[in-house]
Amino acid sequence: MAEIVFVLFVSFTVLFISGAYSSATFTLINNCEQTVWPGILSNAGVAPLSTTGFALQKGESRAINAPPSWGGRFWGRTHCSRDTTGKFTCVTGDCGSGRPECAGGSAAPPATLAEFTLDGHDGMDFYDVSLVDGYNLPMLVAPRGGSGGNCTTTGCMADLIGGCPVALKLTSSGGQSVGCKSACEAFGEPHYCCSGAYQTPDTCKPSAYSEVFKNACPRAYSYAYDDKSSTFTCTGADYDITFCPPPDTRQKLSSIIGGNPGDGIPSVMDSTMVYEGASGSSIRSQAIYVAISIFVAMWLFNPTPI
């Protein structure tokens, strides 16, 4: 009996540490000067979360629990309103549902995306911030309590609307610049879209337009095959997703990684990029793992009959 209990205990311990049964809590934070309506879309074949869209007022946050092995994307919709018939639409990121809940609809470009796959290869979470579909809001993704060599903050904190090339600018009906399109969305040409004869990493290369995004936000996806510098992994983490990260955070991160303090556009990004809110939870998680390992070792060398 003792041997069976031991085997079961070790098995569940390994699964716990590897993240095979790891769920995650996503906390969406609105630090923008305007209301943001987050949209959420689960990957094909994955059940939707408890909500697929809602209003997030300035300064508000909302936590959403995701089950193990969930995958999908988050984005922010802006300049949203209802018409005289009650139909809900947004100037950027609209998901076509006609209401705050996206209910399976995806973001109309341009939209900054935060993409996740929980419990992927080797039990790791894979995540990124993507500008492949263009840009509408600055966004920061910060893991909390996770572990792993590439478990770090990513995002795009720069104001790409102000520096958007004229050919890519999206303007509202009132003439306000509200987004920056991708070259694929703006021109539809295969070499910009990585389609047709350009649908492999060898044939689809960065363009002058995607380099504008990459130079401003080195850790974000700038085109379809920008994996090497833009995909991150964690085990056992929760995640904060901040729209319009606060200026003090931007300045602090810039000084850490060699950017110009106050400009919000880091010049170089590497694995030293950190988010202060992550450290305490990470230490607690590591302490739990160490305690479990010690317990297993003690059981192995001095088992107690049951």
Side-chain angles (χ1 to χ4, degrees), residues 23 83 109 115 163 169 207 221 280 283 300:
S23 58
D83 64 16
E115 302 173 316
K169 279 192 176 183
S207 69
Y221 264 87
I283 292 171
L300 180 63

Side-chain angles (χ1 to χ4, degrees), residues 26 40-52 65-74 103-105 116-119:
F26 295 100
I40 307 170
L41 176 66
S42 297
N43 291 340
V46 178
L49 299 182
S50 58
T51 179
T52 60
N65 296 322
S69 301
W70 182 82
R73 56 179 52 181
F74 299 84
F116 293 85
T117 298
L118 304 182
D119 303 320

Side-chain angles (χ1 to χ4, degrees), residues 48-132:
L49 299 182
S50 58
T51 179
T52 60
F54 53 92
L56 201 61
Q57 303 295 329
K58 173 185 175 181
E60 285 188 338
S61 64
R62 180 167 174 176
I64 301 170
N65 296 322
S69 301
W70 182 82
R73 56 179 52 181
F74 299 84
W75 69 95
R77 294 168 288 171
T78 65
H79 306 284
C80 302
S81 61
R82 294 184 184 272
D83 64 16
T84 55
T85 68
K87 182 180 179 181
F88 179 85
T89 57
C90 301
V91 177
T92 74
D94 190 70
C95 54
S97 67
R99 53 197 179 97
E101 290 271 352
C102 283
S106 189
T112 312
L113 305 175
E115 302 173 316
F116 293 85
T117 298
L118 304 182
D119 303 320
H121 180 67
D122 287 340
M124 295 185 296
D125 299 343
F126 290 76
Y127 60 100
D128 65 79
V129 169
S130 174
L131 306 177
V132 174

Side-chain angles (χ1 to χ4, degrees), residues 256-283:
I256 289 172
I257 57 184
N260 298 316
D263 65 6
I265 306 177
S267 60
V268 179
M269 291 199 176
D270 57 30
S271 60
T272 63
M273 186 174 182
V274 297
Y275 179 73
E276 289 192 336
S279 59
S281 297
S282 179
I283 292 171

